[in-house]
Amino acid sequence: MYRLPKRLLVDNPMDRYSIGSSTPRLQKNEDGSPTIYLSRDSPGADKESNWLPAPDGPFWAVLRTYGPNDAISKKEWTQPPFVPE
């Protein structure tokens, strides 16, 4: 999570600057996928394990895949959409 326009990491009270499969206590949906919350304010105590704090204002979120599987390498996988709530 980077603050724009300088593209510096977003300081936050959780000291969390990224979220991913190795994030402690990451909650997953029934299908095994996580729902990630990108917001300035907490989405609620029950969802904070999947929360990446965002700045008040423009930000740049980057999706990185490490050791991609065949679906990603063959471009058969597409990134899930960002869905505003």
Side-chain angles (χ1 to χ4, degrees), residues 61-82:
V62 176
L63 174 67
R64 293 187 177 118
T65 58
Y66 297 95
N69 62 24
D70 285 344
I72 294 173
S73 297
K74 294 177 182 178
K75 299 182 181 180
E76 297 168 347
W77 178 84
T78 55
Q79 171 185 314
F82 283 98

Side-chain angles (χ1 to χ4, degrees), residues 23-83:
T23 299
R25 299 179 308 282
L26 185 70
Q27 296 178 21
K28 295 186 179 178
N29 302 315
E30 287 183 20
D31 66 359
S33 66
T35 297
I36 306 298
Y37 301 94
L38 307 175
S39 64
R40 179 189 66 175
D41 299 318
S42 168
D46 61 326
K47 298 176 182 174
E48 281 189 352
S49 60
N50 291 36
W51 175 41
L52 183 57
D56 183 18
F59 63 87
W60 182 37
V62 176
L63 174 67
R64 293 187 177 118
T65 58
Y66 297 95
N69 62 24
D70 285 344
I72 294 173
S73 297
K74 294 177 182 178
K75 299 182 181 180
E76 297 168 347
W77 178 84
T78 55
Q79 171 185 314
F82 283 98
V83 180

Side-chain angles (χ1 to χ4, degrees), residues 6-39:
K6 294 183 180 183
R7 294 190 174 143
L8 297 175
L9 292 171
V10 176
D11 290 328
N12 63 80
M14 294 179 72
D15 288 329
R16 181 178 283 173
Y17 304 97
S18 66
I19 193 165
S21 59
S22 62
T23 299
R25 299 179 308 282
L26 185 70
Q27 296 178 21
K28 295 186 179 178
N29 302 315
E30 287 183 20
D31 66 359
S33 66
T35 297
I36 306 298
Y37 301 94
L38 307 175
S39 64

